[in-house]
Each structure stands twice: as C-alpha cells, then as structure tokens.
Amino acid sequence: MSKTLSITATKREGFGKGPSRRLRRANLIPIVTYGHGFDTSSMTIKAEDSERAFHHSGIVEIVCDDNDKKTTVLKTVQRHPISNKILHLDFQEVRRDEIVSTMVPIVSVGEPAGTRQGGQLEQVMLEIEVKSLPMDIPEVITADVSALELDETLYVRDLVFPEGVSSDA
C-alpha cells in the first residue's frame, strides 16, 4: 500500500516565537512528535523535507540525530496565511499494530459522460479521512467518474476502498 518516507531531524533547543523564526530563516521547520505511550519530542527538519512530508499520505519515519527512529503519520500542518509556506508540522507517533486515522487525497479517474454533453466535472472533496493499519494507508483513493451523466453525483459510499481501509464519512 503506502510507501514509507524517511526524513532526518535534529533535536530542538529553543522554543517560542523568536527561536522558531530564526529556524525558518535558516531553512529549517520546527516539528513536534507525540502519541499515547510516547514522549513528546520537539525537533527541526529541512524545509524541503517538510514539503515532501506534506505531500505524503502514509508513514513518515523520522530519524533523529541520536539514531532514534520514530514511526509517525502527519497530523497537522500550520501554514503562513499569505506566503503559504509551512511554519510547523505535528506528527503522531504510531504503532504498526494499531488502527490510525489519516487524510488521503481523492483522485478522479476517467472522463465523465456528462462532459461530452456540455457539462463539467466539479470535485468538491479533495481528500477523505480513512482508518487503517499504518502500513495499509493508501497513497490515494481513486474515484471512477467515467459513468457520471449530467447532474449526477458520486457519493463517498460509492468509493471503492482497498482491503483493510475504511471511512466514516
């Protein structure tokens, strides 16, 4: 199913607005990892790694500078309101045998029959929350829209999820 993205991180010393701004000027992004049964850790990663983690929907393995590896999923992203640059990331540490909930992109596949009649496809949901084991998280959920006629709708209940993946939406 999902591939594991591996990024390196460095323990963070300074906290607060000033140290965080200095980190961002140095092309580093503050992150935090947390989870039940795990200690909270504050670290920094490179800005390009933060973009890679943002566009990845599966497991993110964070390798700390002390060779400690954390198996995580991305939970929240804080962005600048004007420049849209990533300011901060939160990762939830997970166990490989526990079901996790995460957001996965929805990708439309095919050309709707209604577009040949002058209509247009409007995709309202771009991602969906799914529940699965960490190693079963899909990279995308595909929605086959080729059978949609004019004024027809594809609902979440019509989506086909891979085995071991479900959604409450």
Side-chain angles (χ1 to χ4, degrees):
M1 287 279 184
S2 102
K3 297 177 180 150
T4 302
L5 174 67
S6 183
I7 58 177
T8 58
T10 306
K11 295 281 185 200
R12 195 168 86 189
E13 297 301 322
F15 300 99
K17 188 188 313 184
S20 293
R21 285 182 177 169
R22 282 189 287 279
L23 287 171
R24 289 185 201 104
R25 276 194 295 265
N27 211 26
L28 297 171
I29 303 298
I31 67 167
V32 66
T33 63
Y34 57 85
H36 67 90
F38 298 104
D39 292 333
T40 302
S41 300
S42 297
M43 297 176 266
T44 59
I45 60 173
K46 294 179 182 175
E48 56 268 12
D49 287 341
S50 70
E51 286 293 335
R52 287 183 25 224
F54 175 70
H55 294 290
H56 182 75
S57 62
I59 297 291
V60 178
E61 184 179 78
I62 299 175
V63 181
C64 303
D65 48 3
D66 59 355
N67 289 329
D68 182 29
K69 291 183 181 179
K70 297 178 180 289
T71 304
T72 66
V73 292
L74 180 64
K75 273 303 181 184
T76 58
V77 177
Q78 184 181 14
R79 288 186 168 272
H80 190 275
I82 296 175
S83 68
N84 208 29
K85 290 182 180 178
I86 293 177
L87 299 176
H88 189 273
L89 298 174
D90 285 1
F91 291 92
Q92 179 183 2
E93 214 165 335
V94 296
R95 293 189 175 99
R96 294 182 186 263
D97 60 345
E98 288 185 357
I99 292 180
V100 296
S101 176
T102 189
M103 299 300 283
V104 176
I106 299 175
V107 176
S108 299
V109 177
E111 181 184 353
T115 59
R116 291 185 289 275
Q117 300 166 0
Q120 69 182 33
L121 177 67
E122 184 177 334
Q123 184 173 342
V124 179
M125 283 184 78
L126 300 177
E127 58 185 11
I128 188 167
E129 185 175 7
V130 297
K131 294 180 180 179
S132 70
L133 291 173
M135 297 312 290
D136 292 339
I137 298 172
E139 293 194 33
V140 296
I141 299 292
T142 57
D144 184 11
V145 295
S146 57
L148 289 179
E149 298 290 335
L150 280 176
D151 297 325
E152 285 189 340
T153 304
L154 184 69
Y155 296 98
V156 171
R157 66 176 174 253
D158 300 327
L159 294 175
V160 178
F161 293 97
E163 188 176 329
V165 179
S166 65
S167 176
D168 291 338

